[in-house]
Amino acid sequence: MNVHKLLFQPIGKLGFLKFFVFALVLTAGIIFIFIRPGQLQAGDFMMIAWQPGQEILKTGTVHAEYPYPLWTALMMLPFAIGSPEMGALFLLIVNVMMLAASIALLVLLFDWELTPFLFVMTTLLCVLFLPILSSLWVGQLTIFSLLVLVLSVHFFLRERWAWLGIVLGLSFIKPQMMLLLAGLLLLWALWQRRWQVLIGFGGTMLIFVLISLPFMERPSQLIGGGIGVHLETFLIATSTIWGATMKPGLPWQVPFLISLGMMIWLGWVWLPF
């Protein structure tokens, strides 16, 4: 009976910090069962952060084929100062913390009558989602995009417009994940005259551009000079509609039209809500 109460009795109102600590302990405990910190594959980390970071430290610039905005490499510099192994481990730790923060914020956003069992199961399902584990293993920025998405919802619902604009600006560290949603929210802010959103976003982007200018050799590097080559190289191998249709040899127009149709349908369903 006591065990039943312990597992299924509602926790009550807890703040973000307590949920974050609980989620962090659970998340780290689960992840380090499957991922050995000393044996990370970290291929994406090397391409996105460590190699361009080393170029900046040694030459003051990044090669023209770098697929992300130049400010992405600059923001990732703390992970490139030491050895690749240390940088990958540092990113893994930060990713685990961002994942725990995302879970804690999601729990608060849904405002459930939360029990310890429900919280543990929610955390388990989030962490054991295979793309989460693979993202952590190869050193991607996907967890950062998840945190930005959750923060965007958090600030939108609480009408913290300036912070919403700043978070939308931060999403451009990995722009492809939030580009559509950020664009829609900025259009909404313009339509509703929520100038604080636009000021927060514009100020963040201005800072990104200004810190990038001393390291820029050509203007295209601001948006990712090698994004075209990157897409041609990796798009066909992704687990997406694009990869599934282009792998057998279909032209790119097929997934483009399918994706466009799905976006129109999604907008048709979502806009009334």
Side-chain angles (χ1 to χ4, degrees), residues 124-236:
L124 274 171
L125 290 173
C126 290
V127 176
L128 295 180
F129 183 52
L130 184 57
I132 292 287
L133 291 173
S134 61
S135 173
L136 293 169
W137 190 54
V138 300
Q140 292 182 341
L141 294 178
T142 310
I143 308 298
F144 169 76
S145 297
L146 171 64
L147 180 59
V148 165
L149 176 61
V150 177
L151 285 172
S152 298
V153 177
H154 173 79
F155 290 131
F156 182 90
L157 293 177
R158 282 154 181 76
E159 300 184 1
R160 303 289 296 275
W161 305 125
W163 280 106
L164 175 60
I166 292 171
V167 167
L168 293 179
L170 291 174
S171 73
F172 278 65
I173 293 176
K174 187 177 175 66
Q176 65 270 40
M177 300 297 292
M178 282 281 292
L179 189 60
L180 179 60
L181 179 59
L184 289 173
L185 285 173
L186 291 172
L187 286 174
W188 173 87
L190 181 63
W191 180 265
Q192 297 291 325
R193 298 181 180 178
R194 302 289 186 183
W195 307 123
Q196 290 175 299
V197 177
L198 302 176
I199 292 171
F201 174 78
T204 304
M205 295 306 300
L206 179 62
I207 292 173
F208 281 163
V209 172
L210 290 177
I211 64 173
S212 300
L213 289 178
F215 305 94
M216 186 176 66
E217 289 188 340
R218 60 184 68 179
S220 62
Q221 287 183 294
L222 278 179
I223 58 172
I227 186 63
V229 175
H230 184 77
L231 288 174
E232 290 178 6
T233 304
F234 293 102
L235 192 59
I236 195 170

Side-chain angles (χ1 to χ4, degrees), residues 4-229:
H4 184 274
K5 283 186 176 181
L6 181 65
L7 292 176
F8 297 102
Q9 186 173 357
I11 296 173
K13 296 293 182 180
L14 295 178
F16 166 77
L17 184 59
K18 289 183 179 179
F19 274 126
F20 169 70
V21 172
F22 293 150
L24 182 60
V25 172
L26 283 170
T27 301
I30 298 165
I31 286 172
F32 292 132
I33 293 174
F34 296 94
I35 297 177
R36 294 184 178 181
Q39 297 180 356
L40 297 170
Q41 193 270 343
D44 285 18
F45 163 74
M46 294 296 293
M47 179 183 67
I48 296 167
W50 196 83
Q51 290 173 350
Q54 287 290 306
E55 289 181 52
I56 292 173
L57 293 173
K58 294 176 181 178
T59 67
T61 188
V62 177
H63 63 280
E65 289 75 29
Y66 184 65
Y68 287 85
L70 186 54
W71 58 73
T72 303
L74 293 171
M75 297 300 290
M76 298 296 288
L77 267 180
F79 302 97
I81 294 175
S83 66
E85 295 78 14
M86 288 299 298
L89 178 60
F90 182 27
L91 180 59
L92 175 64
I93 293 170
V94 172
N95 269 332
V96 171
M97 296 178 68
M98 290 193 296
L99 179 57
S102 301
I103 293 171
L105 277 173
L106 280 170
V107 167
L108 292 174
L109 285 173
F110 285 123
D111 197 24
W112 290 328
E113 190 178 51
L114 199 65
T115 65
F117 177 78
L118 182 58
F119 181 72
V120 170
M121 290 305 298
T122 300
T123 305
L124 274 171
L125 290 173
C126 290
V127 176
L128 295 180
F129 183 52
L130 184 57
I132 292 287
L133 291 173
S134 61
S135 173
L136 293 169
W137 190 54
V138 300
Q140 292 182 341
L141 294 178
T142 310
I143 308 298
F144 169 76
S145 297
L146 171 64
L147 180 59
V148 165
L149 176 61
V150 177
L151 285 172
S152 298
V153 177
H154 173 79
F155 290 131
F156 182 90
L157 293 177
R158 282 154 181 76
E159 300 184 1
R160 303 289 296 275
W161 305 125
W163 280 106
L164 175 60
I166 292 171
V167 167
L168 293 179
L170 291 174
S171 73
F172 278 65
I173 293 176
K174 187 177 175 66
Q176 65 270 40
M177 300 297 292
M178 282 281 292
L179 189 60
L180 179 60
L181 179 59
L184 289 173
L185 285 173
L186 291 172
L187 286 174
W188 173 87
L190 181 63
W191 180 265
Q192 297 291 325
R193 298 181 180 178
R194 302 289 186 183
W195 307 123
Q196 290 175 299
V197 177
L198 302 176
I199 292 171
F201 174 78
T204 304
M205 295 306 300
L206 179 62
I207 292 173
F208 281 163
V209 172
L210 290 177
I211 64 173
S212 300
L213 289 178
F215 305 94
M216 186 176 66
E217 289 188 340
R218 60 184 68 179
S220 62
Q221 287 183 294
L222 278 179
I223 58 172
I227 186 63
V229 175

